[in-house]
Amino acid sequence: MLHHVEINVTDLNKTKEFWGWFLSELNYEVYQKWDSGISWKFKKTYIVFVQTEERFIKAGYHRSQVGLNHLAFYADSRDQVDRMTEKLKERNIPILYQDRHPFAGGVDHYAVFFEGPDRMKVELVAPE
């Protein structure tokens, strides 16, 4: 089991808005808060977001560079993937691979892929 993941972000307020609603949909709860960060926890695993220092923001992030490519979460069902897809569209959150959605990961992989505020790819996967 994964203990935690910590991600540096360019805009903590945008991060809280984006990840707050998404993670709450997956039953994560706010775990820790401080001036430059926040974490959400589900069972024993938590995800931490920390405001990047101004001097490091210029370098930027891209999922194709060395480092984290994306985070993938389990959905409860295909229906949850579909409901979340509609909520993402309502929030104008970029959905990736729309031409192959919801099977962008393959014929046996029902999921929605989308981008967070720092263009990190996020995936919500239905059980097989």
Coordinates of all heavy atoms in Angstrom, one line a residue, residues 14-97:
K14 N -5.5 27.2 -6.7 CA -6.1 26.5 -7.8 C -6.1 25.0 -7.5 O -7.0 24.2 -7.9 CB -5.4 26.7 -9.2 CG -5.7 28.1 -9.8 CD -5.0 28.2 -11.1 CE -5.2 29.6 -11.7 NZ -4.5 29.7 -13.0
T15 N -5.0 24.6 -6.9 CA -4.8 23.1 -6.6 C -5.9 22.7 -5.6 O -6.5 21.7 -5.7 CB -3.4 22.9 -6.0 OG1 -2.5 23.2 -7.0 CG2 -3.3 21.5 -5.5
K16 N -6.2 23.5 -4.6 CA -7.2 23.2 -3.6 C -8.6 23.1 -4.2 O -9.3 22.2 -3.9 CB -7.2 24.3 -2.5 CG -6.1 24.3 -1.5 CD -6.2 25.4 -0.5 CE -5.0 25.5 0.4 NZ -5.2 26.7 1.3
E17 N -8.9 24.0 -5.1 CA -10.2 24.0 -5.8 C -10.3 22.7 -6.7 O -11.3 22.0 -6.6 CB -10.3 25.3 -6.7 CG -11.6 25.3 -7.4 CD -11.7 26.6 -8.3 OE1 -11.0 27.6 -8.0 OE2 -12.4 26.5 -9.3
F18 N -9.3 22.4 -7.5 CA -9.4 21.3 -8.4 C -9.4 20.0 -7.6 O -10.3 19.2 -7.7 CB -8.2 21.3 -9.3 CG -8.1 20.1 -10.2 CD1 -8.9 20.0 -11.3 CD2 -7.3 19.0 -9.8 CE1 -8.8 18.8 -12.1 CE2 -7.2 17.9 -10.6 CZ -8.0 17.8 -11.8
W19 N -8.4 19.8 -6.8 CA -8.2 18.5 -6.1 C -9.2 18.3 -5.0 O -9.6 17.2 -4.7 CB -6.8 18.3 -5.6 CG -5.8 18.0 -6.7 CD1 -5.0 18.9 -7.3 CD2 -5.6 16.8 -7.3 NE1 -4.3 18.3 -8.2 CE2 -4.6 17.0 -8.3 CE3 -6.1 15.5 -7.2 CZ2 -4.2 16.0 -9.1 CZ3 -5.7 14.5 -8.0 CH2 -4.7 14.7 -8.9
G20 N -9.7 19.4 -4.4 CA -10.6 19.3 -3.3 C -11.9 18.6 -3.7 O -12.4 17.7 -3.1
W21 N -12.5 19.1 -4.8 CA -13.8 18.5 -5.2 C -13.6 17.1 -5.7 O -14.3 16.1 -5.5 CB -14.5 19.3 -6.2 CG -14.0 19.2 -7.6 CD1 -13.0 20.0 -8.2 CD2 -14.3 18.3 -8.6 NE1 -12.8 19.6 -9.5 CE2 -13.5 18.5 -9.8 CE3 -15.2 17.2 -8.7 CZ2 -13.6 17.8 -10.9 CZ3 -15.3 16.4 -9.8 CH2 -14.5 16.7 -10.9
F22 N -12.5 16.9 -6.5 CA -12.2 15.5 -7.1 C -12.0 14.5 -6.0 O -12.6 13.4 -6.0 CB -11.0 15.6 -8.1 CG -10.7 14.2 -8.6 CD1 -11.5 13.6 -9.5 CD2 -9.5 13.6 -8.2 CE1 -11.2 12.3 -10.0 CE2 -9.2 12.3 -8.7 CZ -10.0 11.7 -9.6
L23 N -11.1 14.8 -5.1 CA -10.8 13.8 -4.0 C -11.9 13.6 -3.1 O -12.1 12.4 -2.6 CB -9.5 14.3 -3.3 CG -8.2 14.2 -4.1 CD1 -7.1 14.8 -3.3 CD2 -7.9 12.8 -4.6
S24 N -12.7 14.6 -2.8 CA -13.9 14.4 -2.0 C -14.9 13.4 -2.7 O -15.6 12.6 -2.0 CB -14.6 15.7 -1.6 OG -15.2 16.3 -2.7
E25 N -15.0 13.5 -4.0 CA -15.8 12.5 -4.8 C -15.4 11.1 -4.6 O -16.1 10.1 -4.7 CB -15.8 12.9 -6.2 CG -16.5 14.1 -6.6 CD -18.0 14.0 -6.7 OE1 -18.5 12.9 -6.9 OE2 -18.7 15.0 -6.6
L26 N -14.1 10.9 -4.2 CA -13.5 9.6 -4.0 C -13.3 9.2 -2.6 O -12.6 8.3 -2.2 CB -12.1 9.5 -4.7 CG -12.1 9.8 -6.2 CD1 -10.7 9.7 -6.8 CD2 -13.1 8.9 -7.0
N27 N -14.0 10.0 -1.7 CA -14.0 9.8 -0.3 C -12.8 10.1 0.5 O -12.5 9.7 1.6 CB -14.5 8.4 0.1 CG -15.9 8.1 -0.4 OD1 -16.8 8.9 -0.2 ND2 -16.1 7.0 -1.0
Y28 N -11.9 10.9 -0.1 CA -10.7 11.5 0.6 C -11.2 12.6 1.4 O -12.2 13.3 1.1 CB -9.7 12.0 -0.4 CG -8.8 11.0 -1.1 CD1 -9.4 10.2 -2.1 CD2 -7.5 10.8 -0.7 CE1 -8.6 9.2 -2.7 CE2 -6.7 9.9 -1.3 CZ -7.2 9.1 -2.3 OH -6.5 8.1 -2.9
E29 N -10.6 12.8 2.6 CA -10.9 13.9 3.4 C -9.7 14.8 3.7 O -8.5 14.2 3.7 CB -11.5 13.4 4.8 CG -12.8 12.7 4.6 CD -13.3 12.1 5.9 OE1 -12.6 12.2 6.9 OE2 -14.5 11.7 5.9
V30 N -9.9 16.1 4.0 CA -8.7 16.9 4.3 C -8.0 16.3 5.5 O -8.7 16.0 6.5 CB -9.1 18.4 4.6 CG1 -8.0 19.2 5.1 CG2 -9.7 19.0 3.3
Y31 N -6.7 16.2 5.4 CA -6.0 15.5 6.5 C -5.1 16.5 7.2 O -5.1 16.6 8.5 CB -5.1 14.4 5.8 CG -4.2 13.7 6.8 CD1 -4.6 13.1 8.0 CD2 -2.8 13.5 6.4 CE1 -3.8 12.4 8.8 CE2 -2.0 12.8 7.2 CZ -2.4 12.3 8.4 OH -1.6 11.6 9.2
Q32 N -4.4 17.4 6.5 CA -3.5 18.4 7.1 C -3.6 19.7 6.3 O -3.8 19.6 5.1 CB -2.0 17.9 7.1 CG -1.8 16.6 7.8 CD -0.5 16.0 7.3 OE1 -0.2 15.9 6.2 NE2 0.3 15.5 8.3
K33 N -3.4 20.8 7.0 CA -3.4 22.1 6.3 C -2.4 23.0 7.0 O -2.2 22.9 8.2 CB -4.8 22.8 6.5 CG -5.9 22.4 5.6 CD -7.1 23.2 6.0 CE -8.1 23.3 4.9 NZ -9.3 24.1 5.3
W34 N -1.7 23.7 6.2 CA -0.7 24.7 6.7 C -0.6 25.8 5.6 O -1.2 25.7 4.5 CB 0.6 24.1 7.1 CG 1.4 23.4 5.9 CD1 2.5 23.9 5.3 CD2 1.2 22.1 5.3 NE1 2.9 23.1 4.3 CE2 2.1 22.0 4.3 CE3 0.2 21.1 5.5 CZ2 2.2 20.8 3.6 CZ3 0.3 20.0 4.8 CH2 1.3 19.8 3.8
D35 N 0.1 26.9 5.9 CA 0.1 28.0 5.0 C 0.5 27.7 3.6 O 0.0 28.2 2.6 CB 1.1 29.1 5.5 CG 0.5 29.8 6.7 OD1 -0.7 29.7 7.0 OD2 1.3 30.5 7.4
S36 N 1.5 26.8 3.4 CA 2.0 26.5 2.0 C 1.6 25.1 1.6 O 2.2 24.6 0.6 CB 3.5 26.7 2.0 OG 4.1 25.8 2.9
G37 N 0.6 24.4 2.2 CA 0.2 23.1 1.7 C -1.0 22.6 2.3 O -1.7 23.2 3.2
I38 N -1.5 21.5 1.7 CA -2.7 20.8 2.2 C -2.5 19.3 1.8 O -1.9 19.0 0.8 CB -3.9 21.4 1.5 CG1 -5.2 20.8 2.2 CG2 -3.9 21.2 0.0 CD1 -6.5 21.6 1.8
S39 N -3.2 18.4 2.5 CA -3.2 17.0 2.2 C -4.6 16.5 2.3 O -5.4 17.0 3.2 CB -2.2 16.2 3.0 OG -2.6 16.2 4.3
W40 N -4.9 15.4 1.5 CA -6.2 14.7 1.6 C -5.8 13.2 1.9 O -4.9 12.7 1.3 CB -7.0 14.8 0.3 CG -7.7 16.1 0.2 CD1 -8.9 16.4 0.6 CD2 -7.2 17.3 -0.5 NE1 -9.3 17.7 0.3 CE2 -8.2 18.3 -0.4 CE3 -6.0 17.6 -1.2 CZ2 -8.1 19.5 -1.0 CZ3 -5.9 18.9 -1.7 CH2 -6.9 19.8 -1.6
K41 N -6.6 12.6 2.7 CA -6.4 11.2 3.0 C -7.6 10.3 2.8 O -8.7 10.7 3.0 CB -6.0 11.1 4.5 CG -5.5 9.8 5.0 CD -5.0 9.9 6.4 CE -4.4 8.6 6.9 NZ -3.9 8.7 8.3
F42 N -7.3 9.1 2.3 CA -8.3 8.0 2.2 C -7.6 6.8 2.8 O -6.6 6.3 2.3 CB -8.7 7.8 0.7 CG -9.7 6.7 0.6 CD1 -11.0 6.8 1.0 CD2 -9.3 5.5 -0.1 CE1 -11.9 5.8 0.8 CE2 -10.2 4.5 -0.2 CZ -11.5 4.6 0.2
K43 N -8.3 6.2 3.8 CA -7.8 5.1 4.5 C -6.4 5.4 5.0 O -6.2 6.4 5.8 CB -7.8 3.8 3.7 CG -9.2 3.4 3.3 CD -9.3 2.1 2.6 CE -10.7 1.7 2.3 NZ -10.9 0.5 1.6
K44 N -5.3 4.7 4.6 CA -4.0 5.0 5.1 C -3.1 5.8 4.2 O -2.0 6.2 4.5 CB -3.3 3.7 5.4 CG -3.9 2.9 6.6 CD -3.1 1.7 6.9 CE -3.6 1.0 8.1 NZ -2.8 -0.1 8.5
T45 N -3.6 6.1 3.0 CA -2.8 6.8 2.0 C -3.2 8.3 1.9 O -4.4 8.6 1.9 CB -3.0 6.1 0.6 OG1 -2.6 4.8 0.7 CG2 -2.2 6.8 -0.5
Y46 N -2.3 9.1 1.8 CA -2.6 10.6 1.7 C -1.8 11.2 0.6 O -0.7 10.7 0.2 CB -2.5 11.3 3.0 CG -1.1 11.4 3.6 CD1 -0.3 12.5 3.5 CD2 -0.7 10.3 4.5 CE1 0.9 12.6 4.1 CE2 0.5 10.4 5.1 CZ 1.3 11.5 4.9 OH 2.5 11.6 5.6
I47 N -2.3 12.3 0.0 CA -1.7 13.0 -1.1 C -1.5 14.4 -0.6 O -2.4 15.1 -0.1 CB -2.6 13.0 -2.3 CG1 -2.9 11.6 -2.8 CG2 -2.0 13.8 -3.4 CD1 -3.9 11.5 -3.9
V48 N -0.3 14.9 -0.7 CA 0.1 16.2 -0.2 C 0.4 17.1 -1.4 O 1.1 16.7 -2.4 CB 1.4 16.1 0.6 CG1 1.8 17.4 1.2 CG2 1.3 15.0 1.7
F49 N -0.1 18.4 -1.3 CA 0.2 19.4 -2.3 C 0.9 20.6 -1.6 O 0.4 21.1 -0.6 CB -1.1 19.9 -3.0 CG -1.7 18.7 -3.8 CD1 -2.7 18.0 -3.1 CD2 -1.4 18.4 -5.0 CE1 -3.4 17.0 -3.8 CE2 -2.0 17.4 -5.7 CZ -3.0 16.7 -5.1
V50 N 2.0 21.0 -2.1 CA 2.8 22.1 -1.5 C 3.1 23.1 -2.5 O 3.5 22.9 -3.7 CB 4.2 21.5 -1.0 CG1 5.0 22.6 -0.3 CG2 3.9 20.4 0.0
Q51 N 2.9 24.4 -2.1 CA 3.2 25.5 -3.0 C 4.7 25.6 -3.3 O 5.5 25.6 -2.4 CB 2.8 26.8 -2.3 CG 3.1 28.1 -3.1 CD 2.4 28.2 -4.4 OE1 1.2 28.1 -4.4 NE2 3.1 28.4 -5.5
T52 N 5.0 25.6 -4.6 CA 6.4 25.6 -5.0 C 6.9 27.1 -4.7 O 6.2 28.0 -4.9 CB 6.5 25.4 -6.5 OG1 6.0 24.0 -6.8 CG2 7.9 25.5 -7.0
E53 N 8.2 27.1 -4.3 CA 8.8 28.4 -4.1 C 8.9 29.2 -5.5 O 9.1 28.6 -6.5 CB 10.2 28.3 -3.6 CG 10.2 27.7 -2.2 CD 11.7 27.5 -1.7 OE1 12.5 28.4 -2.0 OE2 11.9 26.6 -0.9
E54 N 8.7 30.5 -5.4 CA 8.6 31.3 -6.6 C 9.9 31.0 -7.5 O 9.7 31.0 -8.7 CB 8.6 32.8 -6.2 CG 8.3 33.7 -7.4 CD 7.0 33.6 -8.0 OE1 6.0 33.3 -7.3 OE2 6.9 33.7 -9.2
R55 N 11.0 30.9 -6.9 CA 12.2 30.7 -7.7 C 12.3 29.4 -8.5 O 13.0 29.3 -9.5 CB 13.5 30.8 -6.8 CG 13.6 29.7 -5.8 CD 14.7 30.0 -4.8 NE 14.6 29.0 -3.7 CZ 15.7 28.3 -3.4 NH1 16.8 28.4 -4.0 NH2 15.5 27.4 -2.4
F56 N 11.4 28.4 -8.2 CA 11.4 27.2 -8.9 C 10.2 27.1 -9.9 O 10.2 26.2 -10.7 CB 11.3 26.0 -7.9 CG 12.5 25.9 -7.0 CD1 12.4 25.9 -5.7 CD2 13.8 25.7 -7.6 CE1 13.5 25.8 -4.9 CE2 14.9 25.6 -6.8 CZ 14.7 25.6 -5.4
I57 N 9.3 28.0 -9.8 CA 8.1 27.9 -10.7 C 8.5 28.0 -12.2 O 7.9 27.3 -13.0 CB 7.0 28.9 -10.3 CG1 6.4 28.5 -9.0 CG2 6.0 29.1 -11.4 CD1 5.4 29.5 -8.4
K58 N 9.4 28.9 -12.5 CA 9.8 29.1 -13.9 C 10.2 27.8 -14.6 O 9.9 27.7 -15.8 CB 11.0 30.1 -13.9 CG 11.3 30.6 -15.3 CD 12.5 31.5 -15.3 CE 12.1 32.9 -15.5 NZ 13.2 33.9 -15.6
A59 N 10.8 26.9 -14.0 CA 11.2 25.6 -14.6 C 10.0 24.9 -15.2 O 10.1 24.2 -16.2 CB 12.0 24.8 -13.7
G60 N 8.8 25.0 -14.5 CA 7.6 24.4 -15.0 C 7.6 22.9 -14.8 O 8.5 22.2 -14.4
Y61 N 6.5 22.3 -15.2 CA 6.2 20.8 -15.1 C 5.7 20.4 -16.5 O 4.9 21.1 -17.1 CB 5.2 20.5 -14.0 CG 4.7 19.1 -14.1 CD1 5.4 18.1 -13.6 CD2 3.5 18.9 -14.8 CE1 4.9 16.8 -13.7 CE2 3.0 17.6 -14.9 CZ 3.7 16.5 -14.3 OH 3.3 15.2 -14.4
H62 N 6.1 19.2 -16.9 CA 5.4 18.5 -18.0 C 5.5 17.0 -17.8 O 6.6 16.5 -17.5 CB 6.0 18.9 -19.3 CG 5.1 18.5 -20.5 ND1 5.0 17.2 -20.9 CD2 4.2 19.2 -21.2 CE1 4.1 17.2 -21.9 NE2 3.6 18.4 -22.1
R63 N 4.4 16.4 -17.9 CA 4.3 14.9 -17.6 C 5.2 14.1 -18.5 O 5.5 12.9 -18.2 CB 2.9 14.4 -17.6 CG 2.3 14.5 -19.0 CD 0.8 14.1 -18.9 NE 0.1 14.3 -20.2 CZ -0.5 15.4 -20.5 NH1 -0.6 16.4 -19.6 NH2 -1.1 15.6 -21.6
S64 N 5.7 14.6 -19.6 CA 6.5 13.8 -20.5 C 8.0 13.9 -20.1 O 8.8 13.2 -20.7 CB 6.3 14.3 -22.0 OG 5.0 14.0 -22.4
Q65 N 8.3 14.8 -19.2 CA 9.7 15.0 -18.8 C 10.0 13.9 -17.7 O 9.1 13.3 -17.2 CB 10.0 16.4 -18.3 CG 9.9 17.4 -19.3 CD 10.0 18.8 -18.8 OE1 10.0 19.1 -17.6 NE2 10.2 19.8 -19.7
V66 N 11.2 13.9 -17.2 CA 11.6 13.0 -16.2 C 10.7 13.3 -14.9 O 10.6 14.5 -14.6 CB 13.1 13.0 -15.9 CG1 13.4 12.2 -14.6 CG2 13.9 12.5 -17.1
G67 N 10.2 12.4 -14.3 CA 9.4 12.6 -13.1 C 8.0 11.9 -13.2 O 7.8 11.1 -14.1
L68 N 7.1 12.3 -12.3 CA 5.8 11.8 -12.3 C 5.0 12.0 -13.6 O 5.0 13.1 -14.1 CB 5.0 12.4 -11.1 CG 3.6 11.9 -10.9 CD1 3.6 10.4 -10.4 CD2 3.0 12.7 -9.8
N69 N 4.5 11.0 -14.2 CA 3.7 11.1 -15.4 C 2.2 11.4 -15.0 O 1.6 12.3 -15.6 CB 3.8 9.8 -16.2 CG 2.9 9.9 -17.5 OD1 1.7 9.6 -17.4 ND2 3.5 10.3 -18.6
H70 N 1.6 10.6 -14.2 CA 0.2 10.8 -13.8 C -0.1 10.0 -12.5 O 0.6 9.1 -12.1 CB -0.7 10.5 -14.9 CG -0.9 9.0 -15.2 ND1 0.0 8.3 -15.9 CD2 -1.9 8.2 -14.9 CE1 -0.4 7.0 -16.1 NE2 -1.6 6.9 -15.5
L71 N -1.3 10.4 -12.0 CA -1.8 9.7 -10.8 C -3.1 9.0 -11.3 O -3.9 9.6 -12.1 CB -2.2 10.6 -9.7 CG -1.1 11.3 -9.0 CD1 -1.6 12.3 -8.0 CD2 -0.2 10.3 -8.3
A72 N -3.3 7.7 -10.9 CA -4.5 7.0 -11.3 C -5.2 6.5 -10.1 O -4.6 6.0 -9.1 CB -4.1 5.8 -12.2
F73 N -6.5 6.7 -10.1 CA -7.4 6.4 -8.9 C -8.4 5.3 -9.3 O -8.8 5.3 -10.5 CB -8.1 7.6 -8.4 CG -7.2 8.7 -7.9 CD1 -6.7 9.7 -8.8 CD2 -6.9 8.8 -6.6 CE1 -5.8 10.7 -8.3 CE2 -6.1 9.8 -6.1 CZ -5.5 10.7 -7.0
Y74 N -8.8 4.5 -8.4 CA -9.8 3.6 -8.6 C -11.2 4.3 -8.5 O -11.4 5.0 -7.6 CB -9.8 2.4 -7.6 CG -8.8 1.4 -7.8 CD1 -7.7 1.3 -7.0 CD2 -8.9 0.5 -8.8 CE1 -6.7 0.3 -7.1 CE2 -8.0 -0.5 -9.0 CZ -6.9 -0.6 -8.2 OH -6.0 -1.6 -8.4
A75 N -12.1 4.0 -9.5 CA -13.5 4.3 -9.4 C -14.2 3.2 -8.8 O -13.7 2.0 -8.8 CB -14.0 4.7 -10.7
D76 N -15.4 3.4 -8.3 CA -16.3 2.3 -7.7 C -16.9 1.5 -8.9 O -17.2 0.3 -8.7 CB -17.4 2.9 -6.9 CG -16.9 3.5 -5.6 OD1 -15.8 3.0 -5.1 OD2 -17.5 4.4 -5.0
S77 N -17.1 2.2 -10.0 CA -17.8 1.5 -11.1 C -17.6 2.3 -12.4 O -17.1 3.4 -12.4 CB -19.3 1.5 -10.8 OG -19.8 2.8 -10.7
R78 N -18.1 1.7 -13.5 CA -18.1 2.5 -14.8 C -19.0 3.7 -14.7 O -18.8 4.7 -15.2 CB -18.6 1.6 -15.9 CG -17.5 0.6 -16.3 CD -18.0 -0.2 -17.5 NE -16.9 -1.0 -18.0 CZ -16.8 -1.6 -19.2 NH1 -17.8 -1.4 -20.1 NH2 -15.8 -2.3 -19.6
D79 N -20.1 3.5 -13.9 CA -21.1 4.6 -13.7 C -20.4 5.8 -13.1 O -20.6 7.0 -13.4 CB -22.3 4.1 -12.9 CG -23.3 5.2 -12.8 OD1 -23.8 5.7 -13.9 OD2 -23.7 5.5 -11.7
Q80 N -19.5 5.5 -12.1 CA -18.8 6.6 -11.4 C -17.9 7.3 -12.4 O -17.7 8.5 -12.4 CB -18.0 6.2 -10.2 CG -17.4 7.3 -9.4 CD -16.6 6.9 -8.2 OE1 -16.1 5.8 -8.1 NE2 -16.5 7.9 -7.3
V81 N -17.2 6.6 -13.3 CA -16.4 7.2 -14.3 C -17.2 8.1 -15.2 O -16.8 9.2 -15.5 CB -15.6 6.1 -15.2 CG1 -15.0 6.7 -16.4 CG2 -14.6 5.3 -14.3
D82 N -18.4 7.6 -15.6 CA -19.3 8.4 -16.5 C -19.7 9.7 -15.8 O -19.7 10.8 -16.4 CB -20.4 7.6 -16.9 CG -20.1 6.4 -17.8 OD1 -18.9 6.5 -18.4 OD2 -20.8 5.5 -17.9
R83 N -20.1 9.5 -14.5 CA -20.6 10.7 -13.7 C -19.5 11.7 -13.6 O -19.7 12.9 -13.7 CB -21.1 10.3 -12.4 CG -22.5 9.6 -12.4 CD -23.1 9.5 -11.0 NE -22.2 9.1 -10.0 CZ -21.9 7.9 -9.6 NH1 -22.5 6.8 -10.2 NH2 -21.1 7.6 -8.6
M84 N -18.3 11.2 -13.3 CA -17.1 12.1 -13.1 C -16.8 12.8 -14.4 O -16.4 14.0 -14.4 CB -15.9 11.3 -12.6 CG -14.8 12.2 -12.2 SD -15.1 13.5 -10.9 CE -15.3 12.4 -9.5
T85 N -16.9 12.1 -15.5 CA -16.6 12.7 -16.8 C -17.5 13.9 -17.1 O -17.1 14.9 -17.5 CB -16.8 11.6 -17.9 OG1 -15.9 10.5 -17.7 CG2 -16.5 12.2 -19.3
E86 N -18.8 13.7 -16.7 CA -19.8 14.8 -16.9 C -19.4 16.0 -16.0 O -19.5 17.2 -16.4 CB -21.2 14.4 -16.6 CG -21.7 13.4 -17.7 CD -21.6 14.0 -19.1 OE1 -21.9 15.2 -19.4 OE2 -21.0 13.3 -20.0
K87 N -19.0 15.7 -14.8 CA -18.6 16.8 -13.8 C -17.3 17.5 -14.3 O -17.2 18.7 -14.2 CB -18.4 16.2 -12.4 CG -19.7 15.8 -11.8 CD -19.4 15.2 -10.4 CE -20.7 14.8 -9.8 NZ -20.6 14.3 -8.4
L88 N -16.4 16.8 -14.9 CA -15.2 17.4 -15.5 C -15.6 18.3 -16.6 O -15.0 19.4 -16.7 CB -14.2 16.3 -16.0 CG -13.6 15.4 -14.9 CD1 -13.0 14.1 -15.5 CD2 -12.5 16.2 -14.1
K89 N -16.5 17.9 -17.5 CA -16.9 18.7 -18.6 C -17.6 20.0 -18.1 O -17.3 21.1 -18.6 CB -17.8 17.9 -19.5 CG -17.1 16.8 -20.3 CD -18.1 16.1 -21.1 CE -17.4 15.0 -21.9 NZ -18.4 14.2 -22.7
E90 N -18.4 19.8 -17.1 CA -19.1 21.0 -16.5 C -18.1 22.0 -15.9 O -18.4 23.2 -15.9 CB -20.1 20.5 -15.4 CG -21.3 19.8 -15.9 CD -22.1 19.1 -14.8 OE1 -21.8 19.4 -13.6 OE2 -23.0 18.4 -15.1
R91 N -17.0 21.5 -15.4 CA -16.0 22.4 -14.9 C -15.0 22.9 -15.9 O -14.0 23.5 -15.5 CB -15.3 21.7 -13.7 CG -16.2 21.5 -12.5 CD -15.5 20.6 -11.4 NE -16.3 20.5 -10.2 CZ -16.1 21.3 -9.2 NH1 -15.2 22.3 -9.2 NH2 -16.9 21.2 -8.1
N92 N -15.2 22.5 -17.1 CA -14.2 22.8 -18.2 C -12.8 22.3 -18.0 O -11.8 23.0 -18.3 CB -14.2 24.3 -18.5 CG -15.6 24.8 -19.0 OD1 -16.2 24.2 -19.9 ND2 -16.1 25.9 -18.4
I93 N -12.7 21.2 -17.4 CA -11.4 20.5 -17.1 C -11.1 19.7 -18.4 O -11.9 18.9 -18.9 CB -11.5 19.7 -15.9 CG1 -11.7 20.6 -14.7 CG2 -10.2 18.8 -15.7 CD1 -12.0 19.9 -13.4
P94 N -9.9 19.9 -18.9 CA -9.5 19.2 -20.1 C -9.5 17.7 -20.0 O -8.8 17.1 -19.1 CB -8.1 19.7 -20.4 CG -7.9 21.0 -19.7 CD -8.8 20.8 -18.5
I95 N -10.3 17.0 -20.8 CA -10.4 15.6 -20.9 C -9.4 15.2 -22.0 O -9.5 15.7 -23.1 CB -11.8 15.1 -21.1 CG1 -12.7 15.5 -20.0 CG2 -11.8 13.6 -21.3 CD1 -14.0 14.9 -19.8
L96 N -8.5 14.3 -21.7 CA -7.5 13.8 -22.6 C -8.0 12.6 -23.4 O -8.9 11.9 -23.0 CB -6.2 13.4 -21.9 CG -5.6 14.5 -21.0 CD1 -4.5 14.0 -20.2 CD2 -5.2 15.7 -21.8
Y97 N -7.5 12.4 -24.6 CA -7.8 11.3 -25.5 C -9.3 11.1 -25.8 O -9.8 10.0 -25.8 CB -7.2 10.0 -24.9 CG -5.9 10.2 -24.2 CD1 -5.7 9.8 -22.9 CD2 -4.8 10.6 -24.9 CE1 -4.5 10.0 -22.3 CE2 -3.5 10.8 -24.3 CZ -3.4 10.5 -23.0 OH -2.2 10.6 -22.4

